[in-house]
Amino acid sequence: MANRRVTLVRLCKTEDGSWKRYPAVIGKNGRVKPGWVKVAGLEREYREGKYQLRSYVGAKMVYTDAGEHAGEAMAAREKAVHLLAAKDSAVSAGVKIVEEPSRLNLMKELRRFITATEDRGSSSAAKVYETAAENFLEMTGKTYADELTPEDILKYQRHLRKRGLSDRTVANRHQRVMAFLRHIKLNVKELSPTRPRYEEALPEIYKPEDLKALFDAIDDTDPMKMILELLLKTGLRDQEAVLLMWRDIDLENGVLRVRSKPEYKFKVKDKEQRDIPIPGDLLEKLREYRKHNPSRKLVTGTASDQPNRKLLRSLKRAVKNAGLNCGACATCLKKNKECSQWFLHKFRATYITTLLRSGMDLRTVMKLSGHSDLESVMRYLSPASDDAIKTHVSGVQWM
């Protein structure tokens, strides 16, 4: 009965400028779909608004603010449901419940943590922290920081493994949750004395024949072809590519500068700008594209010149249309549409590996790729994959 007494709604600004309340959309995974509501049985998105809880005091309907973020709102609803149930039980037993506002509320602290991360210019980092921590709090069902126990951490890890996530992903999610708990001054060594282990994988790179097949399959007039070539021949990170602007490219001298974008709350990794030389063939394609699109700000942007956050989806679609899905990975077998062997960061790994195999020294590759230490670059040295080394080993007299 308690669940039916608390409804999560969204007070949102509609097309005609009026403010109306509609039920929030909750997905099959139990999470709120940010900004989406149900209007006459159909799902619609209203970006401007806030969440509220609708409940009753006797026969009177009341609304309580539940924040602007979907995760915060869902946590507020769960807390209200549990509190109502507890109050009902307390009334039956003749006991009065006293709430403790001085205790550290986990969801409220998470909002502060995410805001602080965004303020540092790390919008992409804020998103991954938010996803991991929200999932953790939803899974544990805990409201206050002093309720967390080591068993909650282990339970979260089991939950991630049950979902089929890799050991590396489990370790990454664990690390993000620990960063949040450390931010609110909890003793993470007591909560989790050991972190999940995983086998450090070598960077994956594309084979020349696969790249040729992909580029041959994409029409020359498709901007995606130029974008993928840009990733391959400059080694940009995903966010760097998404927010790359024409002002960052010197088309006359063939140099691309990676720098922060305050307007998008983006800062370059390690707080250091870097210049990347653009190969001649790619430079000509960029010049030609710019000639036909002189007013655009973003190099890889959408048709409306907004950051294109769906480059990965476009890559997956191009790979499938070219018949290059591996057909053996989990996503190919389950979904039959998105091959896990193709992803954007793999172009960066291919760029770094190709430079190293061409004979370029480590320190120069470190500067071009934007790494802060040589050890990170050395991970891309894979002697077993180098044809010259394999030929040398094959020529050794073993007996």
Side-chain angles (χ1 to χ4, degrees), residues 203-214:
E204 297 181 49
I205 65 171
Y206 290 117
K207 296 178 181 178
E209 56 268 30
D210 290 335
L211 288 172
K212 185 178 187 309
L214 175 62

Side-chain angles (χ1 to χ4, degrees), residues 3-287:
N3 282 355
R4 292 196 289 271
R5 294 169 58 184
V6 181
T7 304
L8 182 61
V9 300
R10 184 168 172 80
L11 177 63
C12 44
K13 189 174 184 179
T14 59
E15 297 89 341
D16 60 6
S18 62
W19 289 82
K20 296 181 180 179
R21 293 185 178 94
Y22 295 110
V25 174
I26 300 177
K28 293 181 180 179
N29 59 1
R31 302 182 68 179
V32 179
K33 192 174 180 180
W36 288 79
V37 297
K38 282 192 175 180
V39 182
L42 300 176
E43 294 186 6
R44 299 193 63 176
E45 183 182 22
Y46 290 112
R47 293 183 178 275
E48 190 172 354
K50 64 179 179 180
Y51 291 99
Q52 293 184 326
L53 301 178
R54 183 173 65 209
S55 57
Y56 292 86
V57 177
K60 181 181 178 182
M61 183 186 297
V62 296
Y63 290 92
T64 307
D65 287 346
E68 297 180 1
H69 298 273
E72 181 181 2
M74 195 61 176
R77 178 187 177 276
E78 293 300 319
K79 178 182 177 182
V81 167
H82 293 315
L83 185 59
L84 278 175
K87 285 182 176 178
D88 286 343
S89 299
V91 169
S92 300
V95 177
K96 183 178 181 181
I97 291 183
V98 178
E99 295 188 60
E100 302 177 70
S102 61
R103 298 171 71 187
L104 211 59
N105 183 289
L106 288 166
M107 190 54 74
K108 287 184 179 179
E109 292 304 317
L110 175 58
R111 296 271 66 82
R112 295 191 181 100
F113 173 62
I114 297 304
T115 300
T117 305
E118 290 174 337
D119 289 344
R120 292 198 302 269
S122 305
S123 56
S124 56
K127 188 63 180 176
V128 296
Y129 282 129
E130 182 178 34
T131 300
E134 278 190 353
N135 183 229
F136 170 72
L137 296 183
E138 289 172 11
M139 189 278 307
T140 60
K142 299 297 175 66
T143 301
Y144 298 106
D146 57 23
E147 296 176 322
L148 291 176
T149 67
E151 177 56 28
D152 289 318
I153 309 300
L154 296 174
K155 182 180 176 183
Y156 177 59
Q157 294 173 15
R158 291 194 294 268
H159 163 75
L160 295 177
R161 292 191 178 97
K162 190 175 180 180
R163 287 174 52 192
L165 300 183
S166 67
D167 291 341
R168 175 65 182 264
T169 302
V170 172
N172 287 341
R173 299 282 179 87
H174 169 86
Q175 184 178 359
R176 291 160 190 163
V177 170
M178 291 301 104
F180 163 57
L181 299 183
R182 194 178 295 110
H183 175 78
I184 60 176
K185 311 300 182 185
L186 293 186
N187 190 333
V188 295
K189 289 186 177 180
E190 287 187 4
L191 284 172
S192 182
T194 58
R195 62 181 181 178
R197 296 181 179 181
Y198 62 91
E199 185 176 296
E200 185 71 49
L202 290 172
E204 297 181 49
I205 65 171
Y206 290 117
K207 296 178 181 178
E209 56 268 30
D210 290 335
L211 288 172
K212 185 178 187 309
L214 175 62
F215 283 103
D216 285 347
I218 304 176
D219 192 275
D220 288 340
T221 60
D222 188 342
M224 193 62 189
K225 188 168 188 175
M226 183 197 72
I227 291 172
L228 295 180
E229 190 171 346
L230 179 73
L231 292 172
L232 175 65
K233 296 180 178 181
T234 61
L236 294 175
R237 296 183 175 93
D238 296 4
Q239 275 290 95
E240 293 170 349
V242 168
L243 299 178
L244 181 66
M245 293 184 163
W246 286 105
R247 73 185 189 207
D248 302 323
I249 298 180
D250 183 344
L251 290 173
E252 183 177 345
N253 296 306
V255 177
L256 183 157
R257 174 160 294 179
V258 178
R259 50 187 166 187
S260 299
K261 304 292 187 310
E263 59 268 50
Y264 294 109
K265 296 182 179 180
F266 169 75
K267 290 185 179 179
V268 293
K269 197 170 183 180
D270 299 321
K271 300 179 181 180
E272 185 175 341
Q273 296 184 0
R274 69 183 190 278
D275 287 341
I276 303 171
I278 304 173
D281 54 347
L282 173 59
L283 182 60
E284 286 305 313
K285 292 173 185 176
L286 288 168
R287 286 171 176 164

